[in-house]
Amino acid sequence: MTQHKEVVIVGSGPAGLTAAIYTARANLSPVVIEGEPSSTSDQPGGQLMLTTEIENFPGFIDGIMGPELMSNFRSQAERFGASYHTAKVTKIDLSNRPFQIWTSDSNSADPDYSAEAVIISTGARSLMLDLEEEVRLIGHGLSTCATCDGFFFRDLDIAVVGGGDSAMEEAIFLTKFAKSVTIIHRRKELRASKIMQDRAFANPKIHFQWNSVVTKLHGDTQLEGITLSDTTTNQESRLDIKGLFVAIGHVPNTDVFLGQLDMDQNGYIVTRDGTHTNVDGVFACGDVQDHTYRQAITAAGSGCMAAIDVERWLEAKHHQAV
């Protein structure tokens, strides 16, 4: 049986749950379709569920664990009247209003929800190395965010995987803390822009491991080193490091919206006038539309913006109908 809602929020990271707090406090009784626990790209709580200690989220002097922070977000929204559906959106029809939404729990042709307004906050996932040790060591020496975790590697030898502008930016930023930073790249030439290459080459703390790929991570509870394989000779070597930052790109979780919403060349949803998309009544916030900052606090801020945009949009529609 289809449930009709004023607001459906798709995604439950900092952006989605902040939107839930604000829309719930506005008495819009949102439902948050929060994702599936078994999904790496669409899990409840988003990427912060894979993060250990967070020290740069305002208000937590001694830091807070990622899962605990997201649990607090979730409980706060629930306190004001938000409800949750632990499932993944498998199909959505934005061509007519009310919008129609199907989830992985659907057991009929009918949609699970119809909605006057939809907030999309499905986030983006970091491309990883596809090594079995990644799940165990993410947040324990393995990271995808230098801005988030660089402080924890003060005076340590660390490495960055990647050859683009993002990898150079991460490496240069990490030299503020690390003893040394080794950039690992599968080719002999970088893909980064000339200016970023020049900055990296000029930094005395940055070294380069050319024609190399990471094939194994070492360490039980904390990263202790990595195995590298030479792409030209297949010869293996070990690099003893305490931190490894993967900077080979991000992919927004937008597949289910393809062909319905405007996206840029990398698949990020394009927003205008705040969080409005090209479909009237559909809003996007957080990393699904932000490929620049990608921080929990900026995602939360855009979730607040989306909620206010939705509230004002619904109010305007209500006045037009009267």
Side-chain angles (χ1 to χ4, degrees):
M1 181 178 175
T2 302
Q3 297 184 54
H4 183 71
K5 293 285 185 178
E6 286 264 63
V7 180
V8 169
I9 299 170
V10 184
S12 59
L17 293 181
T18 300
I21 291 169
Y22 275 77
T23 52
R25 290 188 76 249
N27 292 324
L28 294 175
S29 302
V31 61
V32 181
I33 305 176
E34 58 180 347
E36 294 178 325
S38 60
S39 173
T40 56
S41 63
D42 190 24
Q43 63 178 347
Q47 293 295 300
L48 287 190
M49 296 301 291
L50 303 176
T51 305
T52 52
E53 192 168 11
I54 299 171
E55 290 195 326
N56 58 1
F57 199 91
F60 297 94
I61 299 171
D62 298 317
I64 186 170
M65 301 297 283
E68 182 183 0
L69 179 62
M70 297 321 300
S71 177
N72 290 348
F73 271 50
R74 193 180 191 280
S75 297
Q76 187 174 2
E78 191 172 30
R79 172 193 168 199
F80 293 118
S83 58
Y84 299 92
H85 185 165
T86 307
K88 184 176 182 177
V89 171
T90 55
K91 178 182 176 183
I92 187 166
D93 184 354
L94 303 176
S95 61
N96 293 291
R97 190 175 298 108
F99 305 120
Q100 310 291 304
I101 303 167
W102 290 259
T103 76
S104 51
D105 285 342
S106 299
N107 52 20
S108 73
D110 296 329
D112 295 87
Y113 298 98
S114 62
E116 297 301 318
V118 172
I119 296 176
I120 298 169
S121 54
T122 47
R125 64 190 182 277
S126 300
L127 294 175
M128 299 298 288
L129 304 174
D130 293 327
L131 301 176
E132 61 177 299
E133 304 93 1
E134 287 178 332
V135 174
R136 183 177 76 250
L137 292 174
I138 189 75
H140 299 280
L142 179 65
S143 174
T144 59
C145 179
T147 309
C148 310
D149 299 330
F151 178 82
F152 299 111
F153 296 89
R154 189 175 295 277
D155 298 324
L156 297 176
D157 295 314
I158 62 177
V160 173
V161 180
D165 280 354
S166 293
M168 299 308 107
E169 290 171 5
E170 298 261 288
I172 292 167
F173 175 81
L174 289 167
T175 60
K176 297 179 180 180
F177 310 100
K179 179 181 178 182
S180 71
V181 179
T182 299
I183 294 177
I184 301 166
H185 188 45
R186 63 171 54 247
R187 301 179 182 85
K188 180 60 178 173
E189 301 86 18
L190 297 170
R191 293 180 291 104
S193 60
K194 183 67 164 56
I195 189 171
M196 292 306 300
Q197 291 190 42
D198 290 344
R199 289 175 182 173
F201 289 140
N203 194 307
K205 283 190 174 183
I206 294 179
H207 313 286
F208 293 85
Q209 187 77 39
W210 303 109
N211 298 322
S212 298
V213 293
V214 181
T215 57
K216 187 173 179 61
L217 309 178
H218 301 283
D220 293 329
T221 59
Q222 192 71 29
L223 182 71
E224 298 174 357
I226 59 177
T227 294
L228 296 173
S229 177
D230 190 296
T231 58
T232 58
T233 66
N234 293 324
Q235 184 176 350
E236 291 192 335
S237 60
R238 172 161 170 151
L239 181 65
D240 291 322
I241 53 173
K242 297 297 184 182
L244 180 66
F245 289 78
V246 181
I248 57 177
H250 294 79
V251 178
N253 299 315
T254 53
D255 287 353
V256 75
F257 311 109
L258 289 174
Q260 302 190 78
L261 296 176
D262 288 349
M263 300 179 188
D264 67 14
Q265 61 183 359
N266 295 313
Y268 288 86
I269 295 174
V270 174
T271 52
R272 307 172 181 85
D273 300 323
T275 63
H276 294 256
T277 70
N278 61 295
V279 176
D280 197 30
V282 178
F283 305 80
C285 55
D287 289 7
V288 76
Q289 53 86 49
D290 169 27
H291 50 76
T292 303
Y293 301 103
R294 291 196 292 259
Q295 299 296 302
I297 189 64
T298 54
S302 69
C304 166
M305 292 166 58
I308 293 173
D309 286 344
V310 164
E311 185 180 357
R312 291 173 176 172
W313 182 84
L314 287 170
E315 184 66 21
K317 292 296 179 183
H318 173 72
H319 282 302
Q320 288 176 11
V322 173

